[in-house]
């Protein structure tokens, strides 16, 4: 449904962005369907936003009119707590302000990127390098940073064995980024249906998790496993794929608590961790890294009228690998 949302007036430190593309993230679907709690309707979702700066406030120093920019999952934070000061605004102790369904500084509900324009504080606006096309850059703002941050934190790189569980929007970015970092990448997917793509994205190995032999063969193999799947998994089975001191990081969130087999952790001093997006400086680092390594998201561009249909296809994992809305079709 199309409607009109009001944006706040451009303040002294704000930039006005004319949005060109917005990615469709699974979180958008969970949010609008009320899976994660009450929805402050009317709500516009979308937190993979790219476009052009068309107006800047008087005190803005980081961006100029005409710049190619992006906005991800957050548009503000307290900036004073220990985590904000450490550049980890996504873990703001007072709660970061989400790009949609958050509480804006004027008390209104924040509205996301499935819209023609957005007004954002300059500190939460990223530079999109020229080397990355707008439409393939959009998913980097959520799927890209969500996978880059744990890969960087747990040191994916040469000599490290990294497994990516799931080959969807997050998974395909994890494969590309981990391979670009120099790690040896293995995809663990339900079937071998996307094997050719996985290998083309940089994976060295690709296994079906529907085959129990996979878990025997790969026991004690990985330094790092990035789990992008939000469906519940058999934690013990996956933890046993970690070698000594390995870490399994959850970036997809199942709605229910997961039982963790502590004996599987004991078995090789393994860790189970979680990670959520990344800080603003790290998000910029990720965009620059992707430009330098010639990687970006693989997308299917759709018009604004096709969003509902796209949601159904995302829920069936029938997208390669991210839908991106051409916002010009909204104008
Ligand atoms: Zn997202
Ligand atoms: Zn804070």
């Amino acid at each position: 449904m199309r409607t009109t949302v009001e944006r706040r007036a451009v303040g002294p430190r704000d930039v006005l962005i004319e949005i060109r593309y917005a990615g469709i993230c699974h979180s958008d679907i969970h949010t609008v369907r009320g899976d994660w709690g009450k929805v402050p309707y009317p709500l516009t979702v979308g937190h993979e936003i790219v476009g052009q700066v068309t107006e800047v406030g008087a005190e803005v120093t980081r961006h100029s009119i005409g710049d190619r920019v992006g906005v991800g999952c957050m548009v503000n934070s307290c900036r004073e707590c220990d985590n904000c000061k450490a550049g980890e605004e996504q873990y703001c102790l007072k709660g970061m302000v989400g790009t949609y369904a958050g509480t804006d500084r004027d008390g209104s509900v924040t509205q996301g990127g499935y819209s023609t324009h957005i007004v954002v504080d300059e500190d939460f606006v990223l530079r999109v390098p020229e080397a990355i096309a707008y439409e393939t850059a959009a998913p980097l703002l959520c799927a890209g940073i969500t996978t880059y941050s744990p890969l960087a934190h747990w040191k994916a790189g040469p000599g490290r064995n990294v497994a990516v569980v799931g080959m969807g929007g997050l998974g395909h970015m994890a494969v590309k980024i981990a391979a670009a970092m120099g790690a040896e990448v293995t995809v663990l997917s339900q079937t071998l249906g996307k094997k050719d793509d996985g290998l083309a994205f940089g994976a060295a190995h690709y296994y079906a998790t529907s085959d129990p032999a996979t878990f025997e063969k790969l026991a004690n193999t990985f330094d790092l496993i990035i789990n992008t799947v939000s469906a519940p998994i058999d934690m013990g089975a996956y933890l046993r794929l970690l070698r000594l001191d390995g870490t399994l990081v959850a970036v997809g969130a199942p709605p229910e608590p997961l039982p963790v087999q502590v004996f599987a952790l004991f078995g090789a001093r393994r860790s189970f961790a979680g990670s959520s997006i990344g800080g603003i400086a790290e998000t910029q680092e990720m965009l620059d890294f992707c430009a330098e390594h010639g990687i970006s998201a693989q997308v299917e561009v759709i018009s604004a009228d096709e969003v509902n249909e796209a949601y159904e296809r995302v829920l069936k994992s029938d997208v390669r690998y991210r839908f991106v809305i051409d916002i010009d079709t909204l104008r």
Side-chain angles (χ1 to χ4, degrees), residues 143-222:
I145 187 61
T146 296
T147 50
Y148 179 91
S149 183
L151 288 166
H153 183 80
W154 279 279
K155 302 188 167 44
R160 304 269 283 171
N161 261 328
V162 175
V164 174
V165 183
M167 260 282 285
L170 290 172
H172 96 290
M173 282 315 308
V175 172
K176 289 185 177 202
I177 293 169
M181 287 174 170
E184 183 167 332
V185 182
T186 299
V187 178
L188 302 174
S189 182
Q190 242 170 345
T191 69
L192 298 178
K194 296 172 181 169
K195 182 175 177 179
D196 291 346
D197 284 349
L199 300 182
F201 295 154
H205 317 280
Y206 202 109
Y207 291 93
T209 54
S210 53
D211 181 358
T214 294
F215 291 88
E216 280 172 45
K217 180 162 196 252
L218 299 178
N220 300 295
T221 298
F222 302 108

Side-chain angles (χ1 to χ4, degrees), residues 25 27 47-48 73 142 322:
C25 174
S27 306
H47 59 202
E48 296 182 335
C73 303
C142 174
R322 202 67 147 178

Side-chain angles (χ1 to χ4, degrees), residues 77-85 88-89 91-96:
S77 71
C78 87
R79 302 159 192 241
E80 289 168 352
C81 72
D82 289 348
N83 294 356
C84 281
K85 283 186 183 157
E88 306 275 12
E89 300 90 351
Y91 303 125
C92 174
L93 296 172
K94 292 181 184 158
M96 55 98 158

Side-chain angles (χ1 to χ4, degrees), residues 275-295:
S275 178
S276 175
I277 53 172
I280 290 296
E282 189 176 40
T283 305
Q284 188 62 57
E285 178 187 301
M286 176 276 305
L287 288 165
D288 296 342
F289 176 91
C290 288
E292 188 187 322
H293 291 269
I295 54 178

